[in-house]
C-alpha cells in the first residue's frame, strides 16, 4: 500500500495499459480517477476496481481532445477530492501500420489530437492547480516508437517523439514549481492497439517476428508498464524528472 491516499488521474483507463495502471494504483491504495471516451468499458473497470480492497475508483466519460471537457472534469475532481497528485496521460491511438504516403490527413490530425494535443489540454488544466498546491507529478505514456522508430508508423512515431520532447521541456520549466514530469516508453504489448501496430491480425507468426527483435524475448504487459508507473508516482522517485523510461526488454539498446 505504498501509494495509500495518493489521488491519481489516468486517461484511457478503460482498456490496455491504462486499465492495468488503474488496477495497480488502486491495489496499492491510491484513489484513482479514470477517464475514457468509451463509457461501457470505463463503467466496467470502475465497477470491478470498486469491488476490490484498496483505494477508490471514480470514472468520467471524457474525450481528452475536448479541452472544455478536460477542464470541466479536472474542476469536478478538485471540488470532490480536494486535489489531484498524479496525472497519467495514457490515452493514445494509432492508424494501422502502412506506408507513409498512404496515411491521409484526417488520420494525421487524429493521431496528433489524441497523442499530443490532449497533453496540452491536460497540462493547461492541471498545472495552475499544482502551482497553487505546491507540486504534482505527470507521467506521459510514450513508446519505443519515439526513441527507435521503425517503418510503417512514421506519423505515429513522430507523435511519441513529441511526447518525449515535451516531457523533458515540461520537466525543465516546471521543476521550480516542484512538478515532476516523466515518460514511460513501452515496447509492443497486447492491447486494443496491437493490430494497428502490427498492420494486421495478431497471428502467432506476426507476434513471433516482433518478439525476435526484443532481447528479453517477450512483449510488454500491462503489469510491466504499471510497475514503472507506480514507481515514478511514488515518493521513491522524488528526485527523478525529465526521464523517459523504456519498458522494452532491451528493444532500444
Ligand atoms: N500497446 C502497445 O503495444 C503500446 C506500445 C507503446 C505505447 N503504447 C501507448 O500506450 C497507451 C495506451 O494504449 P494501449 O496500448 O493500452 O491501447 P488501448 O486501445 O487498449 O487503450 C487506449 C485507451 O484510450 C482510450 N482513448 C482513445 N482515444 C481517446 C480519447 N480521445 N479520449 C479518451 N480516451 C481515449 C481508448 O478508449 C482506450 O480505452 C497509448 O498512448 C499508446 O500509444 C502502446
Amino acid at each position: 500500500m505504498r501509494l495509500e491516499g495518493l489521488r491519481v488521474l489516468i486517461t484511457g483507463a478503460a482498456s490496455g495499459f491504462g486499465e492495468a495502471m488503474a488496477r495497480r494504483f488502486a491495489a496499492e491504495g491510491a484513489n484513482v480517477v479514470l477517464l475514457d471516451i468509451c463509457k461501457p468499458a470505463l463503467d466496467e473497470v470502475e465497477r470491478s476496481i470498486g469491488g476490490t480492497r484498496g483505494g477508490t475508483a471514480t470514472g468520467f466519460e471524457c474525450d481528452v481532445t475536448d479541452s472544455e471537457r478536460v477542464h470541466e472534469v479536472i474542476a469536478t475532481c478538485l471540488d470532490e477530492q480536494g486535489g489531484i497528485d498524479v496525472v497519467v496521460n495514457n490515452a493514445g491511438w494509432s492508424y494501422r501500420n502502412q506506408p507513409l504516403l498512404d496515411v491521409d490527413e484526417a488520420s494525421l490530425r487524429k493521431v496528433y489530437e489524441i497523442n499530443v494535443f490532449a497533453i496540452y489540454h491536460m497540462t493547461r488544466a492541471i498545472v495552475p492547480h499544482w502551482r497553487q498546491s505546491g507540486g504534482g507529478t505527470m507521467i506521459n505514456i510514450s513508446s519505443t516508437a519515439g526513441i527507435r522508430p521503425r517503418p510503417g508508423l512514421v506519423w505515429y512515431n513522430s507523435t511519441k517523439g513529441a511526447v518525449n520532447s515535451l516531457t523533458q521541456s515540461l520537466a525543465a520549466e516546471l521543476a521550480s514549481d516542484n512538478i515532476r514530469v516523466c515518460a514511460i516508453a513501452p515496447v509492443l504489448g497486447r492491447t486494443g492497439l496491437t493490430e494497428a501496430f502490427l498492420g494486421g491480425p495478431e497471428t502467432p507468426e506476426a507476434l513471433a517476428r516482433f518478439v525476435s527483435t526484443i532481447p528479453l524475448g517477450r512483449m510488454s504487459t500491462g503489469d510491466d508498464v504499471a510497475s514503472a508507473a507506480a514507481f515514478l508516482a511514488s515518493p521513491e522517485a522524488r528526485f527523478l524528472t525529465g526521464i523517459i523510461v523504456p519498458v522494452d526488454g532491451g528493444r532500444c539498446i
Side-chain angles (χ1 to χ4, degrees), residues 195-216:
E195 289 203 357
F197 293 142
L198 290 173
E202 297 176 40
T203 60
E205 297 73 31
L207 295 176
R209 235 185 347 267
F210 198 96
V211 165
S212 72
T213 70
I214 303 173
L216 284 180

Side-chain angles (χ1 to χ4, degrees), residues 4-248:
E4 189 139 28
L6 204 68
R7 297 159 298 189
V8 181
L9 180 147
I10 303 170
T11 69
S15 142
F17 294 157
E19 177 183 352
M21 287 187 280
R23 291 189 189 284
R24 174 70 68 85
F25 277 110
E28 299 226 20
N31 296 323
V32 290
V33 174
L34 319 171
L35 270 55
D36 207 286
I37 200 170
C38 180
K39 179 100 167 67
L42 180 69
D43 288 348
E44 179 52 30
V45 175
E46 178 185 8
R47 193 196 54 73
S48 70
I49 291 179
T52 58
R53 281 187 62 210
T56 60
T58 313
F60 289 92
E61 184 177 5
C62 175
D63 177 348
V64 292
T65 71
D66 177 348
S67 169
E68 213 172 294
R69 177 66 181 144
V70 170
H71 279 77
E72 192 178 274
V73 167
I74 294 294
T76 306
C77 289
L78 296 180
D79 259 11
E80 288 177 0
Q81 311 214 16
I84 296 169
D85 304 303
V86 178
V87 164
V88 184
N89 287 307
N90 163 77
W93 178 79
S94 181
Y95 53 86
R96 200 180 165 91
N97 187 315
Q98 59 193 285
L100 70 103
L101 295 182
D102 294 350
V103 178
D104 61 19
E105 191 176 327
S107 302
L108 174 72
R109 289 189 186 280
K110 181 172 176 183
V111 76
Y112 266 83
E113 285 281 349
I114 299 175
N115 296 3
V116 181
F117 279 58
I119 299 181
Y120 170 82
H121 302 318
M122 185 60 77
T123 300
R124 288 173 60 93
I126 196 67
V127 164
H129 160 65
W130 281 343
R131 282 190 162 142
Q132 263 189 354
S133 66
T137 303
M138 179 184 288
I139 300 171
N140 297 322
I141 304 304
S142 178
S143 170
T144 51
I147 302 172
R148 202 153 183 256
R150 286 288 173 270
L153 287 169
V154 166
W155 313 109
Y156 170 81
N157 295 342
S158 74
T159 66
K160 296 303 186 177
V163 171
N164 293 344
S165 176
L166 70 83
T167 295
Q168 293 175 317
S169 304
L170 287 170
E173 186 153 332
L174 295 173
S176 58
D177 294 305
N178 192 34
I179 297 170
R180 298 189 298 113
V181 186
C182 295
I184 294 172
V187 74
L188 186 70
R190 290 187 93 162
T191 69
L193 286 175
T194 316
E195 289 203 357
F197 293 142
L198 290 173
E202 297 176 40
T203 60
E205 297 73 31
L207 295 176
R209 235 185 347 267
F210 198 96
V211 165
S212 72
T213 70
I214 303 173
L216 284 180
R218 66 169 175 83
M219 294 160 76
S220 70
T221 65
D223 251 6
D224 296 325
V225 175
S227 296
F231 168 68
L232 289 173
S234 77
E236 290 163 324
R238 69 178 77 80
F239 201 51
L240 303 184
T241 195
I243 58 167
I244 297 151
V245 181
V247 174
D248 71 344

